[in-house]
Coordinates of all heavy atoms in Angstrom, one line a residue:
M15 N -217.5 211.1 -8.9 CA -216.9 209.7 -9.0 C -217.7 209.0 -10.0 O -218.9 208.8 -9.7 CB -216.8 209.1 -7.7 CG -215.9 207.9 -7.6 SD -214.2 208.1 -8.1 CE -213.7 209.4 -6.8
S16 N -217.2 208.5 -11.1 CA -217.9 207.8 -12.0 C -218.0 206.3 -11.6 O -217.4 205.8 -10.8 CB -217.2 207.9 -13.4 OG -215.9 207.5 -13.3
F17 N -218.9 205.6 -12.3 CA -219.1 204.2 -12.0 C -217.9 203.4 -12.3 O -217.4 203.6 -13.4 CB -220.4 203.7 -12.8 CG -220.7 202.3 -12.6 CD1 -221.6 202.0 -11.5 CD2 -220.2 201.3 -13.4 CE1 -221.9 200.7 -11.2 CE2 -220.6 200.0 -13.1 CZ -221.4 199.7 -12.1
K18 N -217.6 202.5 -11.5 CA -216.4 201.6 -11.7 C -216.9 200.2 -11.6 O -217.8 199.9 -10.9 CB -215.3 201.8 -10.7 CG -214.7 203.2 -10.9 CD -213.6 203.4 -9.8 CE -213.3 204.9 -9.9 NZ -211.9 205.2 -10.2
R19 N -216.2 199.3 -12.2 CA -216.6 197.8 -12.1 C -216.1 197.3 -10.8 O -215.1 197.8 -10.2 CB -216.0 197.1 -13.3 CG -216.8 197.2 -14.5 CD -216.1 196.6 -15.8 NE -214.7 197.2 -15.7 CZ -213.7 196.5 -16.2 NH1 -213.9 195.3 -16.8 NH2 -212.5 197.0 -16.2
S20 N -216.7 196.2 -10.4 CA -216.5 195.6 -9.0 C -215.0 195.5 -8.6 O -214.7 196.0 -7.5 CB -217.0 194.2 -9.2 OG -217.0 193.6 -7.9
A21 N -214.1 195.0 -9.3 CA -212.7 194.8 -8.9 C -212.1 196.2 -8.7 O -211.4 196.5 -7.7 CB -211.9 194.1 -9.9
E22 N -212.4 197.1 -9.6 CA -211.9 198.5 -9.4 C -212.5 199.2 -8.2 O -211.8 200.0 -7.6 CB -212.3 199.2 -10.7 CG -211.5 198.8 -12.0 CD -211.9 199.6 -13.2 OE1 -213.1 200.0 -13.3 OE2 -211.0 199.9 -14.0
V23 N -213.7 199.0 -8.0 CA -214.4 199.6 -6.8 C -213.6 199.1 -5.5 O -213.2 199.9 -4.7 CB -215.8 199.2 -6.7 CG1 -216.4 199.6 -5.3 CG2 -216.6 199.8 -7.8
A24 N -213.4 197.8 -5.4 CA -212.8 197.3 -4.2 C -211.4 197.9 -4.1 O -210.9 198.3 -3.0 CB -212.7 195.8 -4.3
E25 N -210.7 197.9 -5.2 CA -209.3 198.3 -5.3 C -209.2 199.9 -4.8 O -208.3 200.2 -4.1 CB -208.7 198.2 -6.7 CG -207.3 198.3 -6.8 CD -206.8 198.2 -8.2 OE1 -207.4 197.6 -9.0 OE2 -205.6 198.6 -8.5
W26 N -210.1 200.6 -5.4 CA -210.1 202.0 -5.1 C -210.4 202.3 -3.6 O -209.7 203.1 -3.0 CB -211.1 202.7 -6.0 CG -211.1 204.3 -5.9 CD1 -210.3 205.0 -6.7 CD2 -211.7 205.1 -4.9 NE1 -210.5 206.4 -6.2 CE2 -211.3 206.4 -5.1 CE3 -212.5 204.8 -3.8 CZ2 -211.7 207.5 -4.4 CZ3 -212.9 205.9 -3.0 CH2 -212.5 207.2 -3.3
V27 N -211.4 201.6 -3.1 CA -211.9 201.8 -1.8 C -210.6 201.4 -0.7 O -210.4 202.1 0.3 CB -213.1 201.0 -1.4 CG1 -213.5 201.0 0.1 CG2 -214.3 201.6 -2.2
L28 N -210.1 200.3 -1.1 CA -209.0 199.8 -0.2 C -207.8 200.8 -0.2 O -207.2 201.0 0.8 CB -208.6 198.3 -0.6 CG -209.6 197.3 -0.3 CD1 -209.2 196.0 -1.0 CD2 -209.7 197.1 1.2
K29 N -207.6 201.2 -1.5 CA -206.4 202.1 -1.7 C -206.7 203.5 -0.8 O -205.9 204.0 -0.1 CB -206.2 202.5 -3.1 CG -204.9 202.9 -3.5 CD -204.9 203.0 -5.0 CE -203.4 203.3 -5.5 NZ -203.4 203.3 -7.0
Y30 N -208.0 204.0 -0.8 CA -208.3 205.2 -0.2 C -208.2 205.0 1.3 O -207.7 205.8 2.1 CB -209.7 205.6 -0.5 CG -210.0 206.9 0.1 CD1 -209.6 208.1 -0.3 CD2 -210.8 206.9 1.4 CE1 -210.0 209.3 0.3 CE2 -211.1 208.0 2.0 CZ -210.7 209.2 1.5 OH -210.9 210.4 2.3
A31 N -208.6 203.8 1.8 CA -208.6 203.5 3.3 C -207.2 203.5 3.9 O -207.0 203.8 5.1 CB -209.3 202.3 3.6
K32 N -206.2 203.2 3.1 CA -204.8 203.1 3.4 C -204.6 202.3 4.7 O -203.9 202.7 5.7 CB -204.3 204.5 3.7 CG -204.1 205.4 2.4 CD -203.3 206.7 2.7 CE -203.2 207.5 1.6 NZ -204.4 208.3 1.4
G33 N -205.2 201.1 4.8 CA -205.0 200.2 5.9 C -205.7 200.6 7.2 O -205.4 200.0 8.3
V34 N -206.6 201.6 7.1 CA -207.4 201.9 8.4 C -208.9 201.7 8.0 O -209.4 202.2 7.1 CB -207.1 203.4 8.7 CG1 -207.9 203.9 9.9 CG2 -205.6 203.6 9.0
C35 N -209.5 201.1 9.0 CA -211.0 200.8 8.9 C -211.7 202.1 8.8 O -211.5 203.1 9.5 CB -211.5 200.0 10.1 SG -213.3 199.8 10.1
E36 N -212.6 202.2 7.7 CA -213.3 203.4 7.6 C -214.5 203.6 8.5 O -215.1 204.7 8.6 CB -213.9 203.5 6.1 CG -212.9 203.7 5.0 CD -213.5 204.0 3.7 OE1 -213.9 203.1 3.0 OE2 -213.7 205.2 3.4
H37 N -214.8 202.5 9.3 CA -215.8 202.7 10.3 C -215.3 202.9 11.7 O -215.7 203.9 12.3 CB -216.6 201.3 10.3 CG -217.9 201.5 11.1 ND1 -218.8 202.3 10.9 CD2 -218.2 200.8 12.3 CE1 -219.8 202.1 11.8 NE2 -219.4 201.3 12.7
C38 N -214.4 202.2 12.2 CA -213.8 202.4 13.5 C -212.5 203.0 13.6 O -212.0 203.2 14.7 CB -213.9 201.0 14.3 SG -212.7 199.9 13.8
S39 N -211.9 203.2 12.5 CA -210.5 203.8 12.4 C -209.5 202.9 12.9 O -208.4 203.4 13.2 CB -210.5 205.1 13.1 OG -211.4 206.0 12.4
A40 N -209.8 201.7 13.2 CA -208.7 200.8 13.7 C -207.8 200.4 12.6 O -208.3 200.3 11.4 CB -209.4 199.5 14.3
P41 N -206.5 200.2 12.8 CA -205.6 199.6 11.8 C -206.0 198.2 11.3 O -206.6 197.5 12.1 CB -204.2 199.7 12.4 CG -204.5 199.6 13.9 CD -205.8 200.3 14.1
A42 N -205.7 198.0 10.1 CA -205.9 196.6 9.6 C -205.3 195.6 10.5 O -204.3 195.8 11.1 CB -205.4 196.4 8.2
P43 N -206.0 194.5 10.8 CA -205.4 193.4 11.8 C -204.2 192.8 11.4 O -203.4 192.4 12.3 CB -206.6 192.5 11.9 CG -207.3 192.5 10.6 CD -207.2 194.0 10.2
F44 N -203.9 192.7 10.1 CA -202.6 192.1 9.7 C -202.3 192.5 8.3 O -203.2 193.1 7.6 CB -202.7 190.5 9.8 CG -203.8 189.9 9.0 CD1 -203.6 189.6 7.7 CD2 -205.1 189.7 9.6 CE1 -204.7 189.0 7.0 CE2 -206.1 189.1 8.9 CZ -205.9 188.7 7.5
V45 N -201.0 192.2 7.9 CA -200.6 192.3 6.5 C -200.7 191.1 5.7 O -200.4 190.0 6.3 CB -199.2 193.0 6.6 CG1 -198.7 193.1 5.1 CG2 -199.1 194.3 7.2
T46 N -201.2 191.1 4.6 CA -201.4 189.9 3.7 C -200.1 189.4 3.2 O -199.1 190.2 3.1 CB -202.5 190.1 2.6 OG1 -201.9 191.1 1.7 CG2 -203.8 190.6 3.2
K47 N -200.1 188.3 2.5 CA -198.9 187.8 1.8 C -198.3 188.7 0.8 O -197.2 188.7 0.5 CB -199.2 186.4 1.3 CG -199.4 185.2 2.4 CD -199.7 184.0 1.7 CE -200.0 183.0 2.9 NZ -200.7 181.8 2.4
D48 N -199.2 189.4 0.1 CA -198.7 190.3 -0.9 C -198.4 191.7 -0.4 O -198.1 192.6 -1.1 CB -199.7 190.4 -2.1 CG -201.0 191.0 -1.7 OD1 -201.1 191.5 -0.6 OD2 -201.9 191.0 -2.6
G49 N -198.3 191.8 1.0 CA -197.8 193.0 1.5 C -198.8 194.2 1.7 O -198.4 195.2 2.2
T50 N -200.1 193.8 1.5 CA -201.1 194.9 1.7 C -201.8 194.7 3.0 O -202.0 193.6 3.5 CB -202.1 194.9 0.6 OG1 -202.7 193.7 0.4 CG2 -201.5 195.3 -0.7
A51 N -202.3 195.8 3.6 CA -203.0 195.8 4.9 C -204.4 195.1 4.6 O -205.0 195.4 3.7 CB -203.2 197.1 5.4
Y52 N -204.8 194.2 5.4 CA -206.0 193.4 5.3 C -207.2 194.2 5.8 O -207.4 194.4 7.0 CB -205.9 192.0 5.9 CG -207.2 191.2 5.7 CD1 -207.3 190.5 4.4 CD2 -208.2 191.2 6.6 CE1 -208.5 189.8 4.2 CE2 -209.3 190.5 6.3 CZ -209.5 189.8 5.1 OH -210.6 189.1 4.8
L53 N -208.0 194.6 4.8 CA -209.3 195.1 5.2 C -210.3 194.4 4.2 O -209.9 193.9 3.2 CB -209.4 196.6 5.0 CG -208.6 197.5 6.0 CD1 -208.6 199.0 5.6 CD2 -209.2 197.4 7.4
E54 N -211.6 194.4 4.5 CA -212.6 193.9 3.7 C -213.5 194.9 3.1 O -213.7 196.0 3.8 CB -213.5 192.9 4.5 CG -212.6 191.8 5.0 CD -213.3 190.8 5.9 OE1 -214.5 191.1 6.3 OE2 -212.8 189.8 6.4
V55 N -214.1 194.7 2.0 CA -214.9 195.7 1.3 C -216.4 195.3 1.6 O -216.8 194.2 1.3 CB -214.6 195.8 -0.2 CG1 -215.6 196.8 -0.8 CG2 -213.2 196.4 -0.5
H56 N -217.1 196.2 2.1 CA -218.6 195.9 2.4 C -219.4 196.9 1.6 O -219.1 198.1 1.5 CB -218.7 196.1 3.9 CG -220.2 196.1 4.3 ND1 -221.0 195.0 4.2 CD2 -221.0 197.1 4.8 CE1 -222.2 195.2 4.6 NE2 -222.3 196.6 5.0
H57 N -220.5 196.4 1.1 CA -221.5 197.3 0.4 C -222.6 197.6 1.4 O -223.2 196.7 2.0 CB -222.1 196.5 -0.8 CG -221.1 196.2 -2.0 ND1 -220.3 195.1 -2.0 CD2 -220.8 197.1 -3.0 CE1 -219.6 195.3 -3.1 NE2 -219.8 196.4 -3.7
V58 N -222.7 198.9 1.6 CA -223.6 199.4 2.6 C -225.0 199.0 2.3 O -225.7 198.5 3.2 CB -223.4 200.9 2.8 CG1 -224.5 201.5 3.8 CG2 -222.1 201.3 3.3
K59 N -225.5 199.2 1.1 CA -226.7 198.7 0.7 C -226.3 197.3 -0.1 O -225.7 197.5 -1.2 CB -227.4 199.7 -0.2 CG -228.8 199.1 -0.6 CD -229.7 200.0 -1.3 CE -231.1 199.3 -1.6 NZ -232.0 200.1 -2.4
P60 N -226.7 196.2 0.4 CA -226.4 195.0 -0.2 C -226.6 194.9 -1.8 O -227.8 195.4 -2.2 CB -227.1 193.9 0.5 CG -227.5 194.6 1.8 CD -227.7 196.0 1.5
L61 N -225.7 194.4 -2.6 CA -226.0 194.2 -4.0 C -227.3 193.4 -4.2 O -228.0 193.7 -5.2 CB -224.8 193.5 -4.7 CG -223.4 194.2 -4.5 CD1 -222.4 193.4 -5.2 CD2 -223.5 195.7 -4.9
A62 N -227.5 192.5 -3.4 CA -228.7 191.6 -3.4 C -230.0 192.3 -3.4 O -231.1 192.0 -3.8 CB -228.6 190.5 -2.5
E63 N -229.9 193.5 -2.7 CA -231.1 194.4 -2.5 C -231.0 195.6 -3.4 O -231.7 196.6 -3.2 CB -231.1 194.9 -1.0 CG -231.5 193.8 0.0 CD -231.2 194.2 1.4 OE1 -231.4 195.4 1.7 OE2 -231.0 193.3 2.3
G64 N -230.3 195.5 -4.4 CA -230.3 196.5 -5.4 C -229.2 197.6 -5.2 O -229.2 198.6 -5.9
G65 N -228.4 197.4 -4.3 CA -227.3 198.3 -4.0 C -226.4 198.4 -5.2 O -226.1 197.4 -5.8
A66 N -225.8 199.6 -5.4 CA -224.9 199.7 -6.6 C -223.5 199.3 -6.2 O -223.0 199.5 -5.1 CB -224.9 201.2 -6.8
D67 N -222.8 198.7 -7.2 CA -221.4 198.3 -6.9 C -220.5 199.4 -7.4 O -219.8 199.5 -8.4 CB -221.1 197.1 -7.8 CG -219.8 196.5 -7.3 OD1 -219.3 196.9 -6.3 OD2 -219.2 195.7 -8.1
T68 N -220.6 200.6 -6.6 CA -219.8 201.8 -6.8 C -219.1 202.1 -5.6 O -219.3 201.7 -4.4 CB -220.7 202.9 -7.2 OG1 -221.6 203.2 -6.2 CG2 -221.6 202.6 -8.5
V69 N -218.1 203.1 -5.7 CA -217.4 203.5 -4.5 C -218.3 204.3 -3.5 O -218.0 204.4 -2.4 CB -216.1 204.4 -4.8 CG1 -215.2 203.5 -5.7 CG2 -216.5 205.6 -5.6
E70 N -219.4 204.7 -4.1 CA -220.4 205.4 -3.2 C -221.2 204.5 -2.3 O -222.0 205.0 -1.5 CB -221.3 206.4 -4.0 CG -220.7 207.5 -4.6 CD -220.1 207.3 -5.9 OE1 -220.1 206.1 -6.3 OE2 -219.5 208.2 -6.5
N71 N -221.1 203.3 -2.5 CA -221.8 202.3 -1.8 C -220.9 201.2 -1.1 O -221.3 200.2 -0.6 CB -222.9 201.6 -2.7 CG -223.8 200.6 -1.9 OD1 -224.2 201.0 -0.8 ND2 -224.1 199.5 -2.3
A72 N -219.6 201.5 -1.1 CA -218.6 200.5 -0.6 C -217.7 201.2 0.4 O -217.3 202.3 0.3 CB -217.8 199.9 -1.8
V73 N -217.4 200.4 1.5 CA -216.5 200.9 2.5 C -215.5 199.8 2.7 O -215.8 198.6 2.6 CB -217.2 201.1 3.9 CG1 -217.9 202.5 3.9 CG2 -218.2 200.1 4.2
A74 N -214.3 200.3 3.1 CA -213.3 199.3 3.5 C -213.2 199.3 5.0 O -213.0 200.2 5.6 CB -211.9 199.9 3.0
V75 N -213.5 198.1 5.5 CA -213.6 197.9 7.0 C -212.8 196.8 7.5 O -212.5 195.8 6.8 CB -215.1 197.7 7.4 CG1 -215.9 199.1 7.2 CG2 -215.8 196.7 6.6
C76 N -212.5 196.9 8.8 CA -211.9 195.7 9.5 C -212.8 194.5 9.6 O -214.1 194.8 9.5 CB -211.3 196.1 10.9 SG -212.6 196.5 12.1
P77 N -212.3 193.2 9.7 CA -213.2 192.1 9.8 C -214.3 192.3 11.0 O -215.5 191.9 10.8 CB -212.3 191.0 10.2 CG -211.0 191.4 9.6 CD -211.0 192.9 9.8
N78 N -213.9 192.9 12.1 CA -215.0 193.0 13.2 C -216.2 193.9 12.7 O -217.3 193.5 12.9 CB -214.3 193.7 14.3 CG -213.5 192.8 15.2 OD1 -213.6 191.5 15.1 ND2 -212.7 193.3 16.1
C79 N -215.8 195.0 12.1 CA -216.8 195.9 11.6 C -217.7 195.3 10.5 O -218.9 195.5 10.4 CB -216.2 197.3 11.2 SG -215.7 198.2 12.5
H80 N -217.0 194.6 9.7 CA -217.7 193.9 8.6 C -218.7 192.9 9.2 O -219.9 192.9 8.7 CB -216.7 193.2 7.7 CG -217.3 192.8 6.3 ND1 -216.7 192.1 5.4 CD2 -218.5 193.1 5.8 CE1 -217.5 191.9 4.3 NE2 -218.6 192.7 4.6
R81 N -218.3 192.0 10.1 CA -219.3 191.1 10.7 C -220.4 191.9 11.4 O -221.5 191.5 11.2 CB -218.6 190.2 11.7 CG -217.5 189.2 11.1 CD -218.2 188.2 10.1 NE -217.9 188.7 8.8 CZ -218.4 188.2 7.7 NH1 -219.2 187.2 7.8 NH2 -218.1 188.6 6.5
A82 N -220.0 192.9 12.1 CA -221.1 193.7 12.8 C -222.1 194.3 11.8 O -223.2 194.3 12.1 CB -220.4 194.8 13.6
A83 N -221.6 194.7 10.7 CA -222.4 195.3 9.7 C -223.5 194.4 9.2 O -224.6 194.7 8.8 CB -221.6 195.9 8.6
H84 N -223.2 193.1 9.2 CA -224.0 192.0 8.7 C -224.9 191.5 9.9 O -226.0 191.1 9.6 CB -223.3 190.9 8.0 CG -222.8 191.3 6.7 ND1 -223.5 191.1 5.5 CD2 -221.7 191.9 6.2 CE1 -222.9 191.5 4.5 NE2 -221.7 192.0 4.8
Y85 N -224.3 191.3 11.0 CA -225.0 190.5 12.0 C -225.3 191.2 13.3 O -226.1 190.7 14.2 CB -224.1 189.3 12.4 CG -223.7 188.4 11.2 CD1 -222.5 188.3 10.7 CD2 -224.8 187.7 10.5 CE1 -222.3 187.4 9.6 CE2 -224.5 187.0 9.4 CZ -223.3 186.8 9.0 OH -223.0 186.1 7.9
A86 N -224.8 192.4 13.6 CA -225.1 193.1 14.8 C -226.6 193.5 14.9 O -227.3 193.7 13.9 CB -224.2 194.3 14.9
R87 N -227.0 193.6 16.2 CA -228.4 194.0 16.4 C -228.7 195.3 15.9 O -229.8 195.7 15.5 CB -228.6 193.9 18.0 CG -230.0 194.2 18.4 CD -230.2 194.3 19.9 NE -230.0 193.0 20.5 CZ -230.3 192.7 21.7 NH1 -230.8 193.7 22.5 NH2 -230.1 191.6 22.3
D88 N -227.6 196.2 16.1 CA -227.7 197.6 15.6 C -227.2 197.9 14.2 O -226.6 198.8 13.9 CB -227.1 198.6 16.6 CG -225.6 198.3 16.8 OD1 -225.1 197.3 16.3 OD2 -224.9 199.2 17.3
A89 N -227.3 196.8 13.3 CA -226.7 196.8 12.0 C -227.3 198.1 11.2 O -226.5 198.7 10.4 CB -227.1 195.6 11.2
V90 N -228.5 198.5 11.5 CA -229.1 199.6 10.8 C -228.4 200.9 11.2 O -228.0 201.7 10.3 CB -230.5 199.8 11.2 CG1 -231.2 201.1 10.6 CG2 -231.4 198.6 10.6
D91 N -228.0 201.0 12.4 CA -227.2 202.2 12.8 C -225.8 202.2 12.3 O -225.3 203.2 11.9 CB -227.1 202.3 14.4 CG -228.5 202.5 15.0 OD1 -229.2 203.2 14.4 OD2 -228.7 202.0 16.1
I92 N -225.2 201.0 12.2 CA -223.9 200.9 11.6 C -224.0 201.2 10.2 O -223.1 202.0 9.7 CB -223.4 199.4 11.8 CG1 -223.1 199.1 13.3 CG2 -222.1 199.2 11.0 CD1 -222.8 197.7 13.6
A93 N -224.9 200.8 9.4 CA -225.1 201.2 8.0 C -225.2 202.7 7.8 O -224.6 203.2 6.9 CB -226.3 200.5 7.4
K94 N -225.9 203.3 8.8 CA -226.1 204.8 8.6 C -224.7 205.5 8.8 O -224.4 206.4 8.1 CB -227.0 205.3 9.8 CG -228.5 205.2 9.4 CD -229.4 205.8 10.5 CE -230.8 205.3 10.3 NZ -231.5 205.3 11.6
K95 N -224.0 205.0 9.8 CA -222.7 205.6 10.1 C -221.7 205.4 8.9 O -221.0 206.2 8.5 CB -222.0 205.1 11.4 CG -222.6 205.7 12.6 CD -222.0 205.2 13.8 CE -222.8 205.6 15.1 NZ -222.7 204.7 16.2
M96 N -221.8 204.2 8.3 CA -220.9 203.9 7.2 C -221.3 204.7 6.0 O -220.4 205.3 5.3 CB -221.1 202.4 6.9 CG -220.4 201.5 7.8 SD -220.6 199.8 7.3 CE -219.3 199.0 8.4
A97 N -222.6 205.0 5.9 CA -223.1 205.8 4.7 C -222.5 207.2 4.9 O -222.2 208.0 4.0 CB -224.6 205.9 4.6
E98 N -222.5 207.7 6.3 CA -221.9 209.0 6.6 C -220.4 209.1 6.3 O -220.0 210.1 5.7 CB -222.2 209.2 8.1 CG -221.9 210.6 8.6 CD -222.6 211.7 7.8 OE1 -223.8 211.6 7.5 OE2 -221.9 212.7 7.4
S99 N -219.7 208.1 6.6 CA -218.2 208.0 6.3 C -218.0 208.2 4.7 O -217.2 208.8 4.2 CB -217.6 206.6 6.7 OG -217.8 206.5 8.0
I100 N -218.9 207.5 4.0 CA -218.8 207.5 2.5 C -219.1 208.9 2.0 O -218.3 209.5 1.2 CB -219.8 206.5 1.8 CG1 -219.3 205.1 2.1 CG2 -219.9 206.7 0.3 CD1 -220.2 204.0 1.6
R101 N -220.1 209.6 2.6 CA -220.4 211.0 2.2 C -219.2 211.9 2.4 O -218.9 212.7 1.5 CB -221.6 211.5 2.9 CG -222.9 211.2 2.2 CD -224.1 212.1 2.7 NE -224.5 211.8 4.1 CZ -225.2 210.8 4.4 NH1 -225.7 209.9 3.5 NH2 -225.5 210.4 5.7
R102 N -218.5 211.7 3.6 CA -217.4 212.5 3.9 C -216.3 212.3 2.9 O -215.6 213.2 2.3 CB -216.9 212.3 5.3 CG -217.6 213.0 6.4 CD -216.9 213.1 7.7 NE -216.4 211.8 8.2 CZ -217.2 211.1 9.0 NH1 -218.4 211.6 9.3 NH2 -216.9 209.9 9.4
R103 N -216.1 211.0 2.5 CA -215.1 210.6 1.6 C -215.3 211.1 0.2 O -214.4 211.6 -0.4 CB -214.9 209.0 1.6 CG -213.7 208.5 0.7 CD -214.2 207.5 -0.1 NE -214.5 206.2 0.6 CZ -215.3 205.2 0.2 NH1 -216.2 205.5 -0.9 NH2 -215.4 204.2 0.8
V104 N -216.6 211.1 -0.2 CA -216.9 211.6 -1.5 C -216.7 213.0 -1.6 O -216.1 213.6 -2.5 CB -218.4 211.3 -1.8 CG1 -218.9 212.1 -3.0 CG2 -218.6 209.8 -2.0
Y105 N -217.0 213.8 -0.5 CA -216.8 215.2 -0.4 C -215.3 215.5 -0.6 O -214.9 216.3 -1.4 CB -217.4 215.7 0.9 CG -217.1 217.2 1.0 CD1 -218.1 218.2 0.5 CD2 -216.0 217.8 1.7 CE1 -217.9 219.5 0.6 CE2 -215.8 219.2 1.9 CZ -216.8 220.0 1.3 OH -216.5 221.3 1.4
F106 N -214.5 214.8 0.3 CA -213.1 215.0 0.2 C -212.5 214.7 -1.1 O -211.7 215.6 -1.6 CB -212.5 214.1 1.3 CG -211.0 214.2 1.4 CD1 -210.4 215.2 2.1 CD2 -210.2 213.2 0.9 CE1 -209.1 215.3 2.2 CE2 -208.8 213.3 1.0 CZ -208.3 214.4 1.7
T107 N -212.8 213.6 -1.7 CA -212.1 213.2 -3.0 C -212.7 214.2 -4.1 O -211.9 214.5 -5.0 CB -212.4 211.8 -3.4 OG1 -213.8 211.5 -3.3 CG2 -211.8 210.8 -2.5
D108 N -213.9 214.7 -4.0 CA -214.4 215.6 -5.1 C -213.7 216.9 -5.0 O -213.6 217.5 -6.0 CB -215.9 215.7 -4.9 CG -216.7 214.6 -5.5 OD1 -216.1 213.7 -6.1 OD2 -217.9 214.6 -5.4
N109 N -213.4 217.3 -3.8 CA -212.7 218.6 -3.6 C -211.2 218.6 -3.8 O -210.5 219.6 -3.6 CB -213.1 219.2 -2.2 CG -214.5 219.7 -2.4 OD1 -214.7 220.8 -2.8 ND2 -215.4 218.9 -1.9
Q110 N -210.7 217.4 -4.0 CA -209.2 217.2 -4.2 C -208.9 217.5 -5.7 O -207.7 217.7 -6.0 CB -208.8 215.8 -3.8 CG -207.9 215.9 -2.5 CD -207.4 214.6 -2.3 OE1 -207.7 213.6 -2.9 NE2 -206.4 214.4 -1.4
Q111 N -209.7 217.3 -6.6 CA -209.4 217.3 -8.0 C -209.6 218.7 -8.7 O -210.3 219.5 -8.0 CB -210.3 216.3 -8.8 CG -209.7 214.9 -8.5 CD -210.8 213.9 -8.5 OE1 -212.0 214.1 -8.9 NE2 -210.6 212.7 -7.9
Ligands
ZN19 ZN1 -213.5 198.6 12.1
ZN20 ZN1 -220.4 193.0 3.7

């Protein structure tokens, strides 16, 4: 997967998730006005800490998981699981082409 710019990264990740949280597998909580399932894009390694704005560092998650990823006591464990989801996704998409 090659480097993509921010908007493309979010778009790709959301498209891949198909309305299901990549962390807890819950369906998106609602559908937005433009008809897409609402999920949020989270960078597992924060951009502010030098994380890359690539699909290998971004997950599409429900709002609960997104808040947890930032504020939960076990945020480190959540980040590890999210990184694991990304590895599976990278493997899957690389083997599809
Ligand atoms: Zn979730
Ligand atoms: Zn985030």
Side-chain angles (χ1 to χ4, degrees):
M15 192 61 58
S16 55
F17 184 85
K18 291 173 192 249
R19 280 170 311 152
S20 188
E22 288 178 325
V23 168
E25 197 183 337
W26 189 94
V27 170
L28 288 169
K29 207 171 184 180
Y30 180 83
K32 293 193 182 78
V34 175
C35 174
E36 287 193 277
H37 186 65
C38 72
S39 300
F44 58 87
V45 175
T46 64
K47 289 174 185 171
D48 65 7
T50 56
Y52 183 81
L53 289 174
E54 299 175 354
V55 174
H56 171 67
H57 291 91
V58 177
K59 181 171 184 185
L61 302 183
E63 291 171 23
D67 191 15
T68 62
V69 299
E70 288 86 358
N71 188 42
V73 279
V75 289
C76 69
N78 282 347
C79 289
H80 196 190
R81 291 300 102 187
H84 283 271
Y85 302 116
R87 185 187 290 192
D88 61 343
V90 172
D91 293 327
I92 292 172
K94 275 184 200 155
K95 280 181 192 152
M96 286 180 170
E98 188 55 44
S99 303
I100 291 175
R101 271 196 292 278
R102 276 200 302 275
R103 184 226 285 151
V104 168
Y105 179 83
F106 180 74
T107 51
D108 280 357
N109 283 280
Q110 250 191 346
Q111 284 143 17

